[in-house]
Amino acid sequence: MPSQFECFQDGCNFMVRADSDEEVVHLVREHAQFTHDITLDADTIEEEIERV
Ligand SMILES: [Zn+2]
């Protein structure tokens, strides 16, 4: 079951979908770091992951 994450930062329409939570967490952390200059921990990301 794929996992999906939509960025919750204002004005950002980044969305990622992958086959595992680990992959989503990895991609979201890179996005947050480079695009928003913030560091998200894995727990925060996992709470926002949707199963699609
Ligand atoms: Zn974003």
Side-chain angles (χ1 to χ4, degrees):
M1 188 184 295
S3 301
Q4 180 174 305
F5 178 96
E6 289 178 45
C7 187
F8 44 75
Q9 299 292 315
D10 277 354
C12 183
N13 55 14
F14 174 84
M15 194 264 279
V16 64
R17 186 184 288 192
D19 289 331
S20 70
D21 284 6
E22 290 76 17
E23 185 74 11
V24 170
V25 166
H26 175 73
L27 293 168
V28 170
R29 292 192 76 177
E30 281 197 335
H31 166 77
Q33 193 85 65
F34 287 118
T35 305
H36 304 298
D37 200 26
I38 55 174
T39 302
L40 294 176
D41 61 45
D43 287 346
T44 302
I45 296 167
E46 283 169 7
E47 281 174 15
E48 298 293 328
I49 287 176
E50 298 168 43
R51 316 279 170 220
V52 292

